[in-house]
Amino acid sequence: MVRPYELILKKRTGHELTTDEIEQWIQGVTDGSFTDAQSAALLMAILFRGMSDRETAALTLAMARSGRQVDLSSLPGIKVDKHSSGGVGDKTTLVVAPLVAAAGAPVAKLSGRALGHTGGTLDKLESIPGLRVELSLSEFLDVVREVGVAVASAGVDLAPADKKLYALRDATATVDSVPLIAASIMSKKLAGGADAFVLDVKVGEGAFLTREEDALALARTCVAVAHEAGRQAVAYLTSMDQPLGVAVGNALEVREAIETLQGGGPADLRELVLVLGAEMVRLAGVEADEGKARSLLERLLDSGEAAARFQRMIAAQGGDPEVVENPDLLPRAEVRLPVEAPRAGYVQAIATRELGLASMALGAGRDRPGAPIDLAVGLEVVRKVGERVEAGEPLAWIHARSEAQAEGIRARVAAAFRLGEAPVEPPPLIRQRVASGT
Ligand code: URA
């Protein structure tokens, strides 16, 4: 049995831990034989000394095995999962999951909830009347078998060691370590049981990681860990220098996802869906040629087949499928108030995190796990970076419960837009693709 003291000292002095040592640590985290103080010291040593890909993979696998591991082998085909590191207005999963299923690749997607300035897929889905995201494993698998796609709660027992370590990291300023973030994300992904992963690593002002080199390091590490675990993964670095699409807030985002599934929707959302979806379709072995995969997905969006698949998923999860034809069935806030441009100009930049926080302040997000959420409220960001606006035209719309609530947030939303005389190029949406060996 390894002594915690020796392990901490070994990492503190810059040595690599063996796979066995890492497994014993995670076992100790799970059974309590490693104290919180010892784990916190080891986390700090890892933050300063780093981890090799082999160590990170060993940590990821040990955490993935610390709880339930979902077995998707009863589902046909190669199962591909998609993960986003979290953003503002990121409703991609709501579109890409039914779309990829309509293309013939099964999607068994376990998702999370909103926290801080970023939204969560489960909360968004819950704005559909009746829809249940808390499915048992057998219900979840039945929906995937029947419809080709289900999106449900990851439950409490996936990678419980990660849950414990995350709480310690949060309390000891050791969250922002690339190997620790990669192990945290990928342990839950591996426990979710998919064969391959498409990772959307957000980068920019509204993302969890603001610097491109950090996001790239995270993408590379996640891809390497998946490879070490015998699974395939491709990561994309995508822009969070402005919200994705127009809608920010739960029911508003579902409405926009439906428009996109019906062949409309904002151009940036459609583009991201096509890029990530084509990669999923390729990894699932449905269509190897990227151009053909993209054309297939475009056809499924424009023909309404993707929207019909979403409708079937909603019905199978107990929701009202009518929302796809009639989005007015979604919750709506009583007040819609414009945020007007104080002068004419081009939008130079958008403080994206600030808009996420403003939406959270309206009630669309939560600052602690389990806090209640208002599904109807949020923002529409109708002017994006590079667009021209005349004085008095709306930059955004606030959806709120009362005039007072909307007025209370108006100056904050206005201040998130920087206007200037000079035309500017919008930031590129897709920054880089990272695959094994790149
Ligand atoms: N998301 C996770 O799941 N874990 C982290 O450590 C950071 C982001």
Side-chain angles (χ1 to χ4, degrees):
M1 183 61 195
V2 62
R3 288 180 53 219
Y5 183 95
E6 304 295 340
L7 215 63
I8 297 163
L9 188 62
K10 189 172 177 186
K11 182 46 83 179
R12 200 194 83 188
T13 49
H15 296 94
E16 266 198 45
L17 304 179
T18 67
T19 298
D20 183 51
E21 286 167 337
I22 292 170
E23 284 171 357
Q24 289 197 45
W25 171 36
I26 296 307
Q27 180 59 42
V29 169
T30 307
D31 66 23
S33 59
F34 250 78
T35 66
D36 282 358
Q38 288 163 334
S39 284
L42 185 51
L43 289 166
M44 188 60 88
I46 291 170
L47 181 125
F48 281 115
R49 292 294 189 176
M51 276 185 143
S52 66
D53 282 349
R54 201 244 341 124
E55 286 177 295
T56 310
L59 176 60
T60 309
L61 284 170
M63 294 206 298
R65 291 184 192 123
S66 67
R68 161 182 258 174
Q69 292 182 81
V70 178
D71 181 359
L72 299 179
S73 62
S74 64
L75 300 173
I78 300 170
K79 275 72 67 183
V80 187
D81 195 358
K82 175 245 164 207
H83 178 79
S84 159
S85 63
V88 178
D90 183 9
K91 67 285 288 176
T92 315
T93 291
L94 300 177
V95 186
V96 94
L99 172 62
V100 167
V107 181
K109 177 90 188 78
L110 295 172
S111 283
R113 293 196 177 272
L115 191 57
H117 73 285
T118 65
T121 300
L122 298 182
D123 299 299
K124 294 172 197 180
L125 278 173
E126 279 181 345
S127 62
I128 297 172
L131 189 139
R132 286 191 306 121
V133 295
E134 306 291 340
L135 304 181
S136 70
L137 183 59
S138 70
E139 281 178 313
F140 176 64
L141 296 178
D142 282 349
V143 176
V144 182
R145 234 175 256 120
E146 211 179 290
V147 184
V149 54
V151 182
S153 159
V156 284
D157 51 357
L158 281 191
D162 171 61
K163 204 167 185 195
K164 280 198 186 177
L165 288 182
Y166 196 89
L168 274 183
R169 288 165 60 208
D170 217 13
T172 58
T174 48
V175 169
D176 50 347
S177 142
V178 165
L180 293 178
I181 298 172
S184 170
I185 292 174
M186 293 308 292
S187 62
K188 288 170 284 198
K189 291 284 108 188
L190 294 179
D195 306 302
F197 306 96
V198 173
L199 307 169
D200 181 5
V201 178
K202 300 289 186 195
V203 57
E205 203 271 329
F208 180 64
L209 294 174
T210 54
R211 297 184 332 157
E212 185 140 350
E213 59 263 43
D214 295 335
L216 184 59
L218 178 64
R220 287 203 172 120
T221 308
C222 288
V223 168
V225 163
H227 188 72
E228 291 268 342
R231 323 253 185 120
Q232 279 193 285
V234 175
Y236 282 85
L237 257 53
T238 75
S239 173
M240 205 18 82
D241 281 322
Q242 55 181 339
L244 182 66
V246 171
V248 180
N250 300 282
L252 292 168
E253 293 192 39
V254 171
R255 183 181 277 264
E256 187 166 282
I258 291 171
E259 283 164 20
T260 310
L261 279 163
Q262 290 167 331
D268 58 347
L269 175 60
R270 180 174 163 109
E271 177 61 19
L272 186 58
V273 161
L274 289 171
V275 169
L276 300 180
E279 196 71 57
M280 290 174 78
V281 162
R282 192 186 67 75
L283 285 170
V286 169
E287 176 54 71
D289 181 83
E290 196 196 314
K292 285 187 185 157
R294 189 180 166 104
S295 309
L296 168 66
L297 298 181
E298 283 171 340
R299 187 179 61 68
L300 293 167
L301 289 175
D302 298 336
S303 66
E305 283 170 79
R309 189 63 67 122
F310 189 45
Q311 211 165 17
R312 285 176 58 201
M313 184 193 103
I314 292 170
Q317 293 190 214
D320 182 356
E322 270 295 301
V323 292
V324 173
E325 262 110 52
N326 182 9
D328 287 344
L329 294 171
L330 293 165
R332 275 151 75 99
E334 293 78 356
V335 172
R336 185 170 180 261
L337 196 87
V339 178
E340 286 138 0
R343 63 188 179 97
Y346 292 90
V347 179
Q348 310 282 310
I350 298 178
T352 309
R353 175 178 294 257
E354 186 57 14
L355 288 185
L357 289 170
S359 168
M360 185 176 122
L362 282 169
R366 54 171 75 82
D367 56 3
R368 67 197 141 83
I373 213 162
D374 187 337
L375 298 169
V377 298
L379 305 171
E380 283 176 278
V381 182
V382 293
R383 282 287 187 277
K384 305 285 286 278
V385 176
E387 290 181 5
R388 174 145 187 103
V389 64
E390 302 305 327
E393 282 181 353
L395 293 163
W397 292 86
I398 298 170
H399 292 245
R401 288 295 180 185
S402 66
E403 292 276 342
Q405 191 193 29
E407 286 294 352
I409 208 93
R410 195 177 352 205
R412 188 172 181 184
V413 174
F417 291 82
R418 186 153 56 81
L419 299 176
E421 297 302 321
V424 291
E425 285 294 316
L429 175 65
I430 313 282
R431 302 278 186 85
Q432 287 194 54
R433 176 181 183 272
V434 180
S436 207
T438 58

